Amino acid sequence: MSPRLRHAFRTPATLALLAALFLIGCQPKETARSMLNDVGTLSKDAISATERLATKTGESVGLLKPQVDYVANAWKPRVSPGDAPPPEALSYSFAEEREIGRAVAADLAGRYGLYNDEKLARYLTRIAAALAAFSERPELPVCVGVLSSEDVRIFEAPGGYVLVTIGALRIAESESELAGLLAAAISHVNLRHALAAFDRLRKELPEGARKTPVLELADENFSALAGRTASWLVKDGHTPEQVRAADRAATDLQVRLGYEPGGLRAYLTRANLRQKERHGTQAPDYESFKTRCADLDARVAELQAPANGHNLSVRSRRDCTARLPAPRSTP
Amino acid sequence: MTQDRVQPRRRPRAWLPALGLVVLAAGLACAGPVAQVLRLRCAPIHSEPGFEKGATTDTAYLGQRLEVIDRKDDWRKVRYETEKVTQAEKFKEGWIHASALAEPQAGAAPASQPWVRDGAASLPRFDGEHSKAARHAEARKLKLAGILDLEQLYPSAKDLDAFLKEGKLGLYRTDWPVLAPTAAAKASEKSSKTEKKDEKAPEKKTAAPKDGGKQEGAK
């Protein structure tokens, strides 16, 4: 070996080169590919960072319209005082809430009668379960029943029991409208409005019974309370603040899940029109209807959620409308 | 008195950049996949990088650990652990939108899935005749059975996923795509047209289209 070559082998640069060749030589294909990938990744990151910087600059200068993440907006916690569950309703355990709900739902089912169509109930329960999974109480096992009545009503008993009439289902023309209707009911359950009503009625009991835990109440007291809560629901004792809070929460749920944000608004409008067609006059609570619509519009505008047209009307026609009984002829 | 030593002339350190290159190459070669977690309630995992491309193969849930092994634009190819026992099926791969991912926080426990219950099986147990609701129903001569039947209709996690997928719901998107017919929809339209033609002319009936056959098979 010539002295020059021997010297070259001694220099660190050559050693480093040899080490590099050794490293590459160990796994020629994989190493080269991963290196290329990493270089590509780094360059892509740099490009995307530059794009983000340019977008932000454009937005700040006013050249670009800022993109609004309205789904994230819909996940932000609400701050209005009416949007929180009443504190007295929070003192009930889930088992108690569920037991109260069962009794109230059985009472309502006794008044109107249940319409037995398993596929229809299953479809509605799936919508409600999906909405509940995206709500503040994802653990809530919602179940939806159909009441044999042509009235346009929906009832929500504590613990996730929702009962909707055939008349109310007839009005909905798409799944987003159905989802809006169910989302409002689920929001009432989540905000524990009916449970708060139960608690208010319980405070009217005699002193001794008032402090007894719900599951240890005397049967006649419990039965009376459940019956009166059902009557409160039938009378629609919700305050305007409760309705407003539930409507706002329902709009959030629809946006989170990807339904048309104006589903509930569309449903209410159609229900109002149907009322006018049937009775020739505006509904007696037309003013509250107008206020509700304005509140819903305001919430959609607040979230900056654009109309997406995701109505799923075909599925609702197949699984809901087609399964309803023929309407009774009006005299 | 100080003696001024004549310092030997230093050679330029030509090996330094080469050593740097070597270290960089070694680092890049050893770099593994980056672990990230899902920051949303749930997000679909696609077979191809794109909402409209390929199919939705799986769903990731809030806090689920996903290893990023590749990336393409706003999409990340992730590897994740499944519940399967065999080593071959234990890990799956798919594409997920980058906006759904976040850096894992130190010490943060992975959140539970939003619906881990399996149907009505895990609902609070109803204690039959001894329950308050049962006695209330009895006192009022009501039938509680209808309400209890409703409880049994609660969907399983699998059912709910299928329901969401069918309706393209629950996906995290900053904007919904234009509701133009997708390739799959077009294919199904075509197949339905051919079926109609076949109905009109039964004697010229040919083999069913591939997509239709697949769908039927899936059902």
Side-chain angles (χ1 to χ4, degrees):
Chain A
M1 194 180 280
S2 68
R4 188 178 282 179
L5 197 62
R6 210 178 300 148
H7 179 72
F9 267 112
R10 273 186 207 151
T11 55
T14 320
L15 286 174
L17 193 67
L18 283 171
L21 286 171
F22 174 73
L23 268 174
I24 295 167
C26 285
Q27 294 175 322
K29 279 183 187 173
E30 286 75 8
T31 314
R33 200 179 298 149
S34 71
M35 277 174 74
L36 280 173
N37 276 343
D38 288 328
V39 169
T41 308
L42 285 171
S43 59
K44 273 177 197 170
D45 280 350
I47 291 166
S48 63
T50 318
E51 275 176 4
R52 278 200 296 274
L53 186 68
T55 315
K56 277 190 181 174
T57 316
E59 283 172 5
S60 60
V61 172
L63 289 172
L64 288 174
K65 199 179 167 187
Q67 281 189 346
V68 181
D69 192 351
Y70 53 85
V71 182
N73 282 351
W75 274 108
K76 280 180 190 164
R78 292 182 295 280
V79 284
S80 326
D83 291 347
E88 69 273 10
L90 295 173
S91 60
Y92 290 89
S93 69
F94 180 64
E96 287 174 336
E97 193 181 341
R98 195 88 180 150
E99 195 70 359
I100 296 165
R102 266 193 203 110
V104 174
D107 208 303
L108 288 166
R111 291 176 195 220
Y112 288 89
L114 277 177
Y115 176 65
N116 287 322
D117 186 323
E118 192 190 312
K119 282 189 179 172
L120 175 60
R122 202 178 280 278
Y123 170 64
L124 295 172
T125 305
R126 278 178 180 166
I127 300 176
L131 288 163
F134 280 71
S135 75
E136 278 73 18
R137 290 178 77 187
E139 75 288 352
L140 193 77
V142 190
C143 49
V144 185
V146 182
L147 297 175
S148 300
S149 167
E150 290 295 331
D151 292 352
V152 181
R153 298 300 304 271
I154 183 161
F155 305 106
E156 78 293 338
Y161 295 90
V162 176
L163 296 167
V164 58
T165 59
I166 290 173
L169 293 177
R170 270 193 217 290
I171 288 173
E173 287 191 356
S174 67
E175 194 175 300
S176 79
E177 292 179 18
L178 275 177
L181 181 69
L182 293 172
I186 291 164
S187 303
H188 278 298
V189 175
N190 282 351
L191 295 167
R192 299 174 175 90
H193 291 154
L195 195 62
F198 180 90
D199 190 74
R200 274 196 301 278
L201 295 167
R202 191 177 159 206
K203 281 175 186 160
E204 294 169 10
L205 288 177
E207 182 67 31
R210 205 183 304 164
K211 287 178 183 171
T212 316
V214 174
L215 298 181
E216 290 168 24
L217 270 176
D219 286 352
E220 63 273 16
N221 284 336
F222 181 82
S223 190
L225 282 175
R228 287 174 73 189
T229 310
S231 301
W232 179 84
L233 284 169
V234 172
K235 222 167 42 182
D236 196 8
H238 293 300
T239 62
E241 287 77 31
Q242 286 178 339
V243 174
R244 183 172 175 272
D247 283 354
R248 284 167 63 88
T251 309
D252 289 5
L253 278 183
Q254 282 180 279
V255 171
R256 286 174 198 174
L257 209 50
Y259 281 115
E260 165 65 41
L264 179 57
R265 165 82 154 85
Y267 180 84
L268 290 176
T269 312
R270 190 163 289 122
N272 192 58
L273 276 173
R274 194 63 58 89
Q275 163 83 15
K276 202 176 169 185
E277 277 171 17
R278 191 173 284 180
H279 302 288
T281 53
Q282 292 289 4
D285 53 351
Y286 182 63
E287 285 307 312
S288 73
F289 157 74
K290 278 206 295 189
T291 319
R292 276 184 84 177
C293 287
D295 281 343
L296 285 168
D297 289 341
R299 184 60 186 157
V300 172
E302 203 178 316
L303 295 173
Q304 305 193 34
N308 59 29
H310 200 63
N311 281 320
L312 298 170
S313 51
V314 176
R315 187 159 77 172
S316 88
R317 243 176 273 141
R318 182 192 70 196
D319 292 345
C320 177
T321 318
R323 306 201 68 84
L324 294 175
R328 285 178 222 154
S329 56
T330 48
Chain B
M1 198 177 162
T2 56
Q3 280 188 339
D4 291 337
R5 281 188 184 173
V6 180
Q7 294 280 335
R9 197 184 159 196
R10 282 190 178 180
R11 285 183 192 168
R13 294 180 177 175
W15 54 274
L16 264 178
L19 189 66
L21 269 176
V22 170
V23 171
L24 183 72
L28 287 174
C30 297
V34 186
Q36 296 215 301
V37 290
L38 197 81
R39 68 178 188 88
L40 307 171
R41 283 291 166 108
C42 65
I45 296 174
H46 299 260
S47 60
E48 298 286 330
F51 284 120
E52 300 300 321
K53 289 181 197 168
T56 309
T57 52
D58 213 341
T59 307
Y61 294 98
L62 179 69
Q64 186 172 343
R65 199 178 168 83
L66 304 159
E67 285 185 348
V68 178
I69 51 171
D70 196 3
R71 47 184 77 193
K72 188 177 180 186
D73 300 330
D74 283 343
W75 290 85
R76 302 287 178 269
K77 191 172 188 182
V78 290
R79 184 189 293 134
Y80 55 98
E81 207 170 335
T82 63
E83 291 170 355
K84 303 275 176 164
V85 182
T86 55
Q87 198 60 34
E89 293 177 327
K90 195 162 176 61
F91 291 98
K92 280 173 85 177
E93 289 180 2
W95 291 87
I96 195 165
H97 197 261
S99 64
L101 299 173
E103 293 292 329
Q105 288 177 353
S112 59
Q113 294 180 4
W115 52 80
V116 192
R117 290 184 307 276
D118 192 17
S122 58
L123 297 180
R125 199 167 282 277
F126 181 71
D127 61 350
E129 291 172 7
H130 305 294
S131 125
K132 283 275 164 199
R135 287 203 290 270
H136 163 71
E138 196 185 339
R140 295 211 158 206
K141 294 184 178 166
L142 302 171
K143 281 183 182 172
L144 191 63
I147 300 298
L148 297 178
D149 286 347
L150 290 179
E151 285 183 9
Q152 303 305 314
L153 299 181
Y154 191 82
S156 64
K158 203 175 169 186
D159 279 351
L160 203 52
D161 267 345
F163 182 75
L164 290 171
K165 270 178 201 164
E166 190 197 353
K168 291 186 179 175
L169 295 167
L171 311 171
Y172 184 87
R173 295 180 182 185
T174 49
D175 202 1
W176 284 91
V178 183
L179 290 170
T182 56
K186 279 177 187 170
S188 68
E189 264 179 31
K190 271 185 186 175
S191 68
S192 65
K193 277 179 188 174
T194 48
E195 273 171 17
K196 276 180 188 174
K197 277 181 187 175
D198 291 346
E199 276 172 16
K200 281 177 187 174
E203 66 277 3
K204 289 180 182 177
K205 201 170 184 178
T206 52
K210 280 180 185 175
D211 285 348
K214 269 182 192 174
Q215 281 168 7
E216 277 170 17
K219 277 171 193 174

